[in-house]
Amino acid sequence: MSRALFQPKLADDWQTAVADLLVRLADDELVIGHRNSEWTGLAPILEADIAFSSMAQDEIGHALAYYRLLHELGYPDPDTMAFLREPQDFRCASLVSIPKGDWSVSIVRQFLYDTAETVRLEALCDSAYEPLASLARKLRTEEKYHLLHGKTWLHRLGDATDESHRRVQTALDLLWPHALGLFEPTRWDRTLANERIQPSEPTLAQEWRARVEPLLTDASLVAPEGVEPLFGGRVGRHPPSLAELIAAMQKVFRLDPGAQW
Amino acid sequence: MTDTQWRVYEVFHQQARGEPHVHVGSVHAPDPETALLMAKEQFGRRQACVNMWVVPQEAISATSYEDADLFQHTTDKSYREPFGYETTKRARAIGDPQEL
């Protein structure tokens, strides 16, 4: 499929900026949803398995909603966006694609990601792009549980035993630069802020840190200092783990893209 | 049977404010907060719910099934049924008396 189809020519600069933002939002959700679904059947206990799998479904549902907004702007339908693009066409941050690791890595990632998503959704509720604002207001309700899930687990693991504490702190050190990369500034930052579609990425990053750090302290964890963010995802430069994930995710669909399910 | 996992919390679920909390099942969890977290996804994601309780299983005192005869009525206790009320009579006039 040609590249141009995935990036239709839009009438205005602001529309292009909105579309770029929507692709980032959708791809983050789809990829973390897929990663988290890898715990289905394998999480530490049945109850945790059901909760984590259910949240993975929520994230994929959010991705679908963002892809639908893109479709309204002239992009291909959601299935094509999810299953027929190449890794370099994706605009997700590296945080969502790195392998699921052990339970502590996935829990810390879920916590960092959903805190960021909450901050972003709260800002988007006031977006001048009304379809996005109304979607953000809807999705925010589900994030309440995701945030509670992340906080509760982080607190338990951070405070339980020496081993659990060591594992979550190690996971936090590993994930921190990737999490900072969620707020990679793009060339559309200024347009999005000027048009009041979304605050700039550095503004969101600052708000995220202000929320995350006290929660880490509560869980006896320390946010790494002086770490450079890992950028690249928003311009299509990804760690090899994304290509592996996408190959697995698209495998069945690509066997017969026209199949009726 | 001994349970080698976490504590068991019994879950009660309320469909609307003012309605009774109904027992819907149980979850394993290390503490009440986590139990609520688990219960929400186990039992709150398909049906309507406005409030959920979790109670440590060991906090519940129960009768034994061997003592089920405690609840049997051996003599006629129909005088305890509310058949003397006007509404009962009206309902009886409309519907099947067996139903009352």
Side-chain angles (χ1 to χ4, degrees):
Chain A
M1 182 142 321
S2 90
R3 223 33 210 286
L5 185 60
F6 295 126
Q7 285 158 344
K9 187 92 192 102
L10 297 170
D12 296 297
D13 238 24
W14 75 266
Q15 261 195 357
T16 311
V18 165
D20 189 76
L21 171 63
L22 288 171
V23 174
R24 283 182 265 143
L25 291 168
D27 289 350
D28 273 357
E29 296 278 44
L30 178 66
V31 173
I32 200 164
H34 187 85
R35 270 287 179 241
N36 287 346
S37 79
E38 291 173 355
W39 279 106
T40 302
L42 302 172
I45 65 161
L46 180 65
E47 287 85 340
D49 193 303
I50 291 174
F52 215 63
S53 303
S54 174
M55 289 196 303
Q57 287 177 327
D58 292 345
E59 305 296 22
I60 291 170
H62 296 182
L64 176 61
Y66 290 127
Y67 288 131
R68 281 188 177 138
L69 290 189
L70 279 166
H71 192 40
E72 286 167 19
L73 288 173
Y75 275 69
D77 66 277
D79 276 350
T80 305
M81 291 296 285
F83 297 123
L84 293 176
R85 279 183 305 159
E86 301 297 330
Q88 67 271 19
D89 300 324
F90 279 73
R91 292 292 176 267
C92 50
S94 58
L95 179 74
V96 297
S97 70
I98 53 175
K100 75 179 194 308
D102 64 9
W103 185 241
S104 65
V105 170
S106 284
I107 284 294
V108 174
R109 164 162 54 192
Q110 190 258 313
F111 165 77
L112 295 172
Y113 178 81
D114 281 308
T115 325
E117 198 187 343
T118 302
V119 167
R120 202 178 281 278
L121 285 175
E122 282 176 13
L124 289 175
C125 286
D126 299 321
S127 176
Y129 187 60
E130 186 42 40
L132 183 54
S134 85
L135 179 59
R137 289 192 283 269
K138 201 166 125 189
L139 302 187
R140 222 177 114 184
T141 358
E142 260 177 8
E143 280 309 309
K144 193 171 174 179
Y145 178 78
H146 295 191
L147 206 56
L148 185 67
H149 182 277
K151 280 197 284 197
T152 308
W153 270 99
L154 193 78
H155 205 272
R156 285 299 306 185
L157 294 177
D159 260 352
T161 65
D162 285 348
E163 191 194 351
S164 74
H165 178 268
R166 181 175 50 74
R167 284 200 192 201
V168 272
Q169 182 64 56
T170 307
L172 185 62
D173 296 344
L174 166 79
L175 296 171
W176 195 252
H178 296 280
L180 295 173
L182 284 170
F183 304 101
E184 175 178 345
T186 71
R187 54 188 288 233
W188 303 110
D189 245 29
R190 188 175 300 191
T191 312
L192 291 170
N194 288 347
E195 301 285 340
R196 309 183 67 81
I197 293 160
Q198 186 203 249
S200 76
E201 294 295 326
T203 309
L204 294 171
Q206 209 176 354
E207 173 63 23
W208 173 77
R209 285 189 79 133
R211 298 236 195 140
V212 160
E213 287 178 357
L215 295 169
L216 293 175
T217 309
D218 279 353
S220 317
L221 299 165
V222 186
E225 273 180 51
V227 175
E228 287 297 313
L230 271 170
F231 288 154
R234 305 311 190 191
V235 289
R237 278 188 286 113
H238 302 289
S241 51
L242 182 71
E244 291 156 25
L245 178 147
I246 285 175
M249 183 176 77
Q250 297 183 337
K251 193 175 173 188
V252 174
F253 186 91
R254 283 183 180 236
L255 286 175
D256 183 1
Q260 295 295 310
W261 295 86
Chain B
M1 196 173 69
T2 7
D3 201 318
T4 53
Q5 303 192 58
W6 289 330
R7 284 171 85 173
V8 176
Y9 287 82
E10 297 297 340
V11 182
F12 299 80
H13 153 283
Q14 188 188 36
Q15 288 207 337
R17 205 169 170 152
E19 294 290 311
H21 282 73
V22 177
H23 182 239
V24 283
S26 59
V27 291
H28 292 93
D31 57 48
E33 289 76 32
T34 315
L36 280 171
L37 199 68
M38 303 299 193
K40 187 262 168 189
E41 281 304 314
Q42 307 302 293
F43 301 109
R45 68 200 200 116
R46 293 206 178 85
Q47 40 186 336
C49 181
V50 293
N51 196 255
M52 203 167 246
W53 290 347
V54 289
V55 179
Q57 196 178 55
E58 67 264 24
I60 295 174
S61 306
T63 57
S64 155
Y65 281 109
E66 285 160 25
D67 295 331
D69 51 2
L70 279 173
F71 306 103
Q72 273 174 19
H73 295 163
T74 44
T75 58
D76 180 15
K77 297 277 196 287
S78 61
Y79 56 85
R80 290 177 180 168
E81 293 160 16
F83 59 78
Y85 295 102
E86 285 304 313
T87 40
T88 317
K89 287 177 189 159
R90 278 203 302 279
R92 196 165 277 181
I94 301 162
D96 178 5
Q98 295 303 315
E99 293 288 309
L100 290 162

